[in-house]
Each structure stands twice: as C-alpha cells, then as structure tokens.
Amino acid sequence: MPKLIPVADELSKPFWDAVNAKRLMLQHCGACNKLQYPPQKTCQVCGGDTITWKEVAGKGHIATYIVIEDGRLNRRMPDQPYNLAMVTLDADPTVNFYSNLPGTPPYKVPVGAPVEVTFEEVAPGQLIHEWRVVG
C-alpha cells in the first residue's frame, strides 16, 4: 500500500528523527505526567508548557477498526479494501495511533490483540511507524 512520506516541521522533527532511528518517542508533560501524540506546542490535557520527549515501548492493543472499501484517496484506491485500526498505547491508554496493520487481511482484525510498532521505509532514509499484530 502506498504510504505518505512525512515532512517534518520544527514541532514533529524529534518524533520523525526517532522513527528514522527505529525508536518511538512521544511528548511528555512534566506538569501532569501525560504522554501525547501527535506533537503539540502545549499539553493537550493541562495546557502546560513543560513538554519534553520520552522514549516509550512500542506496544499496544487494537481498540477498534474499520475496513476502507470506498475511500476517495486516489493513491489508495487500488489497495481497497484495507484495514484502518485504532491502536491504544500500553504506556498510556489515552494515546492512540492509526494503522492499516500490515500483514493482517481486511476483515480479519483481532480486536483486543496485542500489537507492536514496526518501521517501514517509504523513501530512501525515511521510515514511518506502523503496527503489527503480535503472535
């Protein structure tokens, strides 16, 4: 499936630099101890500005999913149907990621199953994060 090639800005550069090093780094608020994704200038929970970057284990669970059968993105039309799963991060269940779950056929998504982050090259020297079912 064709993937978007990320273009990092000043705010997201630490995240994408970590992905390119096959690490998962998220913003962490020192005021309320919450993780957040995607990157923002202030904490989305408390509004604090004591944001730092913290490496987290790339482990989570599938919360829910849908199957895209009639999406309008031209570059993804040849791949339909495909999964779009919401992954809840084990380190902080308020943090969610979305993934097409490479290796999992459409309609065969095991809701509740553990997943782990994996990294896929989408351009020379540029990786993206995806999630794969464990086991």
Side-chain angles (χ1 to χ4, degrees):
M1 174 178 301
K3 310 288 178 159
L4 285 176
I5 298 171
V7 177
D9 58 17
E10 184 179 331
L11 191 59
S12 66
K13 187 174 181 340
F15 175 80
W16 290 113
D17 286 349
V19 166
N20 283 328
K22 296 186 176 183
R23 297 169 44 217
L24 188 60
M25 299 276 290
L26 300 181
Q27 287 182 317
H28 175 259
C29 177
C32 70
N33 200 34
K34 295 298 281 182
L35 294 170
Q36 70 181 16
Y37 175 83
Q40 298 179 32
K41 290 184 183 202
T42 60
C43 178
Q44 63 191 7
V45 175
C46 74
D49 62 359
T50 57
I51 302 293
T52 58
W53 289 91
K54 179 179 182 179
E55 186 166 5
V56 296
K59 304 225 180 269
H61 285 81
I62 299 170
T64 190
Y65 79 102
I66 61 171
V67 175
I68 306 296
E69 295 178 337
D70 190 24
R72 301 294 180 222
L73 294 175
N74 287 334
R75 64 184 177 74
R76 292 234 171 144
M77 284 182 181
D79 301 307
Q80 293 177 42
Y82 62 89
N83 299 316
L84 180 59
M86 184 173 82
V87 171
T88 299
L89 190 67
D90 287 351
D92 185 339
T94 65
V95 176
N96 297 307
F97 292 89
Y98 294 91
S99 175
N100 66 321
L101 299 175
T104 301
Y107 308 102
K108 303 290 185 189
V109 175
V111 173
V115 292
E116 63 186 8
V117 73
T118 186
F119 300 95
E120 179 181 336
E121 188 172 52
V122 292
Q126 180 61 61
L127 304 178
I128 62 167
H129 57 298
E130 284 282 8
W131 298 86
R132 290 193 185 271
V133 176
V134 177

